[in-house]
Amino acid sequence: MAQVPQTFFDALAVRTWCGLALRALGRAREEIDAINVYPVADGDTGTNLYLTLESAATAVEAVFAGYETGSGEPSLADAVRAMAHGALIGARGNSGTILAQLLRGMAQVLADDSGREAPHIDGTGLRLALRRAADSARQAVAHPVEGTVLTVASAAADAAEGAEGDCGTVARAAYAGARAALAATPGQLAVLERAGVVDAGGRGLVAVLGALVEAFTGETPGAVPGRQASTGAPDAASVTVTVSDARAHACVPGGGAAAGTGPHVRAGAVPEDVAHARVAAPDAGLCADGAEAGGPAFEVIYLLEADDAAVARLRARLDALGDSLVVVGGDGLWNVHVHVDDAGAAVEAGVEAGRPYRIRITHFGLGDVHTGAERPPRERAQRAVVAVVPGEGLAALYTEAGATTVLARPGEPPASGELVQAVRRAHAHEVVLLPNDAELRHTAAAAAEQARTEGIRVALIPTRSAVQGIAALAVHEPERRFDEDVVQMTSAAGATRYAEVVVAEHQSWTTAGVCQAGDVLGLIDGDVAVIGADVTATAETVLDRMLQAGGELVTLVVGDEAPHTAAEHLQTRVRDAYLAVDTVVYRGGRQGALLLIGVE
């Protein structure tokens, strides 16, 4: 359906832009992944950009949904702040982290930080927003390098500044400037020229700006080439680029940058799409920046709650530890990304600066993306289990049992794109998907449908709690026929009653009466059944009610915030009052609920 052109930038335009940008990145994801050779050829730039934008779009949709039940509609400030916050907390990889800062920079102008919340912004405001975006993204990178997404963003802002007219006119100019800058990136970075590709992060930004043009004008920009244009070459839009093609040409054996093919980049420069010249040759020679082959072993990413002064100190410390350093955010919440050899030290630096959480550590592995050599293809497994889990402890338990896990933080459920990525990561012909949360049913269904279009056989078992997932995983038998295995796992999950013990955040009406903020709530099968003042006593009451209907095994998953004696007390209670019932206890870590209880 054609988009209705919009003259001004208002809340609806933000929503439309996010939706169009997400679709554009979805279409271009595989192409962008394939041309990703810089700073490390890990083939995930398109995926990271898509997941980051999906988080932003989801946050915007949540704002609009909040107004559907009441009167009025969200303001421009509401929408752009949600967009920026969603991108910040969902940013993936260097490319996603920089995209989050670009959106944050735009939001600072569009939301009018001076305190005046205009209902919409005209072409002048959009020009200012694009300039703020480009400048703030460059400031977020420790060592900016040209020929990357930063160059493309700056070119878009420069072109926009020369355009007079409404938002559509400005968006067209920005898109044209970005596209021209993207085509020039191989001449600025030798590693791109050797591979015959443009910068992957810049390619993604052009897609996002193309969506901006479509949101304001209804016009769909033409295809953007991923290959570097050359005399006598086939049309760029018709070329199929593979990851092995790009990686094979990322570096030349034993040599540094070819003379005249790009600027010198210091060792330890920065980020994927922004600055890191360590794409090394297979023979451990020199690469684009003249640095030795190889690179840091780990990618470390986390969200951080800290003040500005602490973050300034953190930047200096992480810059000394590794490279590809990008720190974005503000107002007490930051997203930190760095490549290091000592992942523990990078996390420790975050602990000293404030409160890091949603920590992700990825090991690049042997024959890794830094080498430029193609990794031997891993044989696809016949069957795998993918599960959403609420805490680090459960993630370790599920992983030990052979599952691929997606960590869900309280209030931060995974998006469908993250589940699809996990299904791909499982690398199997058949996948059993365990959402472990009733609220994730539709998200998991969308992910399963997407995976099926990619030729993966996916069965979704509607588990509503992690304890049901544990029961399903306990009877999983990969050697059985797929349908039979799914039936057995579904049966085990359905036979497990589940409960959780949490603390009420505010006064509310519940099925057990009125609760006050700070009350301890015991929920059985999703409904509040007990309101109490003591965690252990409330949990005991919940457990007794569940066992009145019978049971053979009690599973307790204890969160970090639960009293240390709670699990022991409940085990004693079961042992003394229910002689034929066994109890197993797991540590869930920071899982949101104080206790998860399963009875089967």
Side-chain angles (χ1 to χ4, degrees):
M1 181 181 296
Q3 297 295 321
V4 178
Q6 295 185 227
T7 304
F8 296 105
F9 209 152
D10 57 10
L12 181 59
V14 175
R15 185 186 200 183
T16 302
W17 178 33
C18 286
L20 290 171
L22 188 62
R23 286 195 286 275
L25 287 174
R27 291 191 298 268
R29 180 186 61 78
E30 291 186 0
E31 175 206 337
I32 297 172
D33 282 346
I35 65 173
N36 173 204
V37 299
Y38 183 81
V40 287
D42 47 359
D44 64 358
T45 291
T47 299
N48 287 338
L49 288 169
Y50 179 87
L51 292 175
T52 302
L53 209 290
E54 182 180 45
S55 182
T58 299
V60 172
E61 288 300 321
V63 169
F64 273 85
Y67 278 85
E68 288 178 358
T69 57
S71 59
E73 58 184 24
S75 66
L76 173 61
D78 291 334
V80 295
R81 286 170 182 155
M83 174 186 71
H85 181 74
L88 178 65
I89 65 173
R92 297 300 185 93
N94 287 359
S95 54
T97 305
I98 292 166
L99 175 61
Q101 188 66 8
L102 287 166
L103 296 179
R104 176 179 170 81
M106 291 189 69
Q108 288 174 333
V109 173
L110 298 176
D112 194 356
D113 289 344
S114 66
R116 302 183 310 276
E117 294 193 358
H120 59 251
I121 291 292
D122 58 12
T124 299
L126 180 56
R127 287 198 300 270
L128 294 174
L130 291 168
R131 172 50 62 195
R132 176 77 67 88
D135 292 347
S136 63
R138 190 171 288 270
Q139 291 165 5
V141 175
H143 304 285
V145 166
E146 299 307 327
T148 64
V149 66
L150 296 183
T151 304
V152 176
S154 294
D158 291 343
E161 286 180 342
E164 296 293 338
D166 60 15
C167 287
T169 301
V170 174
R172 284 194 196 96
Y175 174 77
R179 185 165 173 160
L182 176 67
T185 56
Q188 296 173 292
L189 278 178
V191 64
L192 299 179
E193 186 165 55
R194 281 196 298 272
V197 297
V198 297
D199 178 68
R203 169 67 181 86
L205 179 57
V206 169
V208 172
L209 290 173
L212 187 64
V213 173
E214 186 175 357
F216 287 124
T217 68
E219 303 168 2
T220 303
V224 180
R227 282 265 189 200
Q228 179 184 9
S230 60
T231 304
D235 181 70
S238 67
V239 175
T240 299
V241 185
T242 65
V243 176
S244 57
D245 286 339
R247 290 183 184 177
H249 296 90
C251 291
V252 291
T261 57
H264 175 79
V265 183
R266 77 168 185 84
V270 205
E272 164 193 331
D273 313 300
V274 192
H276 178 206
R278 292 188 178 180
V279 184
D283 68 348
L286 299 179
C287 199
D289 60 350
E292 292 184 2
F298 298 96
E299 177 185 60
V300 178
I301 307 172
Y302 50 79
L303 291 178
L304 177 70
E305 293 178 358
D307 60 35
D308 291 0
V311 170
R313 293 191 295 270
L314 175 66
R315 288 178 190 269
R317 181 168 178 185
L318 292 180
D319 193 27
L321 285 176
D323 54 33
S324 292
L325 173 61
V326 187
V327 181
V328 304
D331 300 322
L333 180 62
W334 308 82
N335 190 305
V336 179
H337 175 284
V338 67
H339 292 176
V340 293
D341 282 320
D342 189 344
V347 175
E348 180 184 347
V351 172
E352 292 178 1
R355 187 178 80 87
Y357 60 102
R358 291 189 70 173
I359 301 167
R360 299 187 187 95
I361 300 175
T362 302
H363 185 256
F364 289 122
L366 297 175
D368 63 28
V369 294
H370 291 282
T371 66
E374 184 176 359
R375 189 182 301 185
R378 179 164 61 99
E379 184 177 354
R380 189 176 291 273
Q382 181 58 36
R383 189 175 308 159
V385 175
V386 172
V388 180
V389 292
E392 297 92 341
L394 280 176
L397 173 67
Y398 273 73
T399 300
E400 185 177 349
T404 297
T405 61
V406 178
L407 190 61
R409 291 294 185 187
E412 300 173 4
S416 62
E418 294 181 75
L419 300 187
V420 173
Q421 188 181 40
V423 171
R424 295 184 186 121
R425 195 168 70 244
H427 202 60
H429 296 288
E430 303 166 339
V431 172
V432 179
L433 181 57
L434 306 174
N436 291 338
D437 186 340
E439 298 296 325
L440 288 177
R441 182 183 61 208
H442 297 301
T443 301
E449 189 61 34
Q450 173 61 37
R452 291 182 189 118
T453 66
E454 299 177 11
I456 304 171
R457 189 180 184 188
V458 181
L460 171 60
I461 298 179
T463 48
R464 295 176 289 175
S465 170
V467 292
Q468 288 189 324
I470 291 173
L473 200 55
V475 300
H476 170 52
E477 286 289 346
E479 303 307 317
R480 279 196 293 242
R481 289 190 304 108
F482 185 61
D483 291 339
E484 182 182 349
D485 196 27
V486 171
V487 168
Q488 293 298 322
M489 294 177 72
T490 302
S491 177
T496 302
R497 299 188 69 195
Y498 65 96
E500 61 181 326
V501 178
V502 299
V503 176
E505 296 181 355
H506 49 74
Q507 184 186 56
S508 179
W509 288 92
T510 75
T511 52
V514 179
C515 71
Q516 305 295 327
D519 283 348
V520 180
L521 306 181
L523 290 80
I524 299 178
D525 294 336
D527 294 322
V528 177
V530 181
I531 300 175
D534 179 77
V535 173
T536 303
T538 301
E540 181 177 330
T541 302
V542 168
L543 189 54
D544 284 340
R545 292 192 184 183
M546 295 177 75
L547 287 172
Q548 284 175 1
E552 299 177 353
L553 176 66
V554 171
T555 300
L556 301 175
V557 183
V558 186
D560 283 348
E561 302 300 319
H564 297 304
T565 58
E568 182 179 352
H569 178 88
L570 295 175
Q571 282 181 291
T572 301
R573 171 64 180 170
V574 172
R575 185 171 58 249
D576 293 345
Y578 306 94
L579 301 181
V581 179
D582 294 324
T583 306
V584 60
V585 179
Y586 301 110
R587 298 292 169 181
R590 293 178 293 177
Q591 62 183 20
L594 300 174
L595 284 166
L596 298 177
I597 303 173
V599 174
E600 52 184 300

